[in-house]
Amino acid sequence: IVDIVRCSYDPNMKKVSSDGPSLDSLVLMNTPLEYTIYFQNTGNDTAYTVVIKDTISKSLNINTFAVIANSHQVNVNILNNEVTFTFKDINLVDSSTNELLSQGFVKFKISPLPNLPNNTEVTNKADIYFDFNLPIITNETMVVYVDQLPISTSVSDPNSIETNFIIYPNPASQFVQLEWNSTFTSSSIDIYILDITGRVIQILDNISENNL
């Protein structure tokens, strides 16, 4: 005899965006952040209650927290830096029954604390509970607060006089050469090295032609 365990389950996702100047994962100081938590019931039965628990980074000002959008009626409780979103009686059908009606989300806005140190990393993830199931942990989001955003540039033709920066060889395996021309007036620059996802993996401060 085979019994079917009827329960709800969610492959969730979390996103962060800035409400102001940013470049990839770099965000200018004092810029508010917008977080969106998506959830979907891909189980084989209706989810009657969905609870999201989100521990807010201590680099963010919990007093500025505000929900700005939600797919279903939600109750919000804040204890210290933990925010709990409770979707009671949500009756979220499973995705095989109705793909659209199996989904939900909550979006909130929050500002950073003043006077954060330069290059402060802010990471965040949440736990999602469907009925009595174990929590499902979202992906981790990350932004870096900086005093000044780097100039956005791309690898260009080294013979182009329009380009402030020249990086060669391209492609490269271990080392690259970086040059900037006279149209760029700053005597030093900060270099941010990002991986393919936009995560900052190394920062070189105050680089000049004498120490590059």
Side-chain angles (χ1 to χ4, degrees):
I1 299 175
V2 177
D3 292 331
I4 298 176
V5 177
R6 304 186 65 82
C7 62
S8 57
Y9 187 78
D10 168 59
N12 54 76
M13 179 173 62
K14 184 164 191 177
K15 289 186 177 180
V16 61
S17 61
S18 65
D19 188 23
S22 63
L23 178 63
D24 296 316
S25 60
L26 304 178
V27 179
L28 201 59
M29 288 293 184
N30 302 318
T31 301
L33 300 177
E34 290 185 2
Y35 287 99
T36 306
I37 305 172
Y38 300 93
F39 53 90
Q40 182 179 24
N41 177 13
T42 60
N44 52 19
D45 197 8
T46 299
Y48 297 99
T49 301
V50 176
V51 177
I52 302 174
K53 293 187 177 182
D54 193 335
T55 301
I56 304 299
S57 168
K58 292 184 178 181
S59 296
L60 302 178
N61 185 353
I62 194 65
N63 294 320
T64 65
F65 172 91
V67 173
I68 56 177
N70 46 282
S71 59
H72 302 76
Q73 184 174 351
V74 61
N75 179 63
V76 181
N77 182 64
I78 301 176
L79 180 61
N80 298 323
N81 270 52
E82 184 178 83
V83 181
T84 302
F85 306 90
T86 303
F87 297 86
K88 188 177 181 180
D89 299 324
I90 190 173
N91 296 331
L92 201 67
V93 299
D94 61 89
S95 57
S96 62
T97 299
N98 189 307
E99 176 71 21
L100 182 61
L101 295 182
S102 68
Q103 303 176 42
F105 75 90
V106 63
K107 177 181 288 189
F108 63 90
K109 186 174 181 178
I110 191 166
S111 298
L113 292 172
N115 304 316
L116 289 176
N118 191 32
N119 300 321
T120 295
E121 288 192 7
V122 177
T123 58
N124 183 260
K125 56 186 177 181
D127 294 340
I128 301 180
Y129 298 79
F130 279 67
D131 294 328
F132 300 104
N133 292 315
L134 293 174
I136 299 171
I137 303 173
T138 70
N139 56 293
E140 184 175 75
T141 63
M142 193 273 291
V143 300
V144 180
Y145 276 105
V146 293
D147 293 328
Q148 184 176 2
L149 293 174
I151 295 176
S152 178
T153 184
S154 60
V155 177
S156 306
D157 181 356
N159 296 318
S160 171
I161 61 174
E162 300 287 332
T163 306
N164 285 328
F165 296 97
I166 299 173
I167 303 174
Y168 61 90
N170 179 32
S173 59
Q174 293 183 338
F175 302 99
V176 295
Q177 184 77 21
L178 172 64
E179 297 179 0
W180 60 88
N181 62 30
S182 58
T183 62
F184 188 63
T185 57
S186 176
S187 60
S188 66
I189 61 173
D190 296 336
I191 298 176
Y192 293 78
I193 302 175
L194 286 65
D195 64 17
I196 196 171
T197 67
R199 180 182 177 88
V200 177
I201 58 177
Q202 188 174 359
I203 299 174
L204 307 175
D205 295 319
N206 298 318
I207 301 299
S208 68
E209 60 181 358
N210 295 322
N211 62 9
L212 184 66

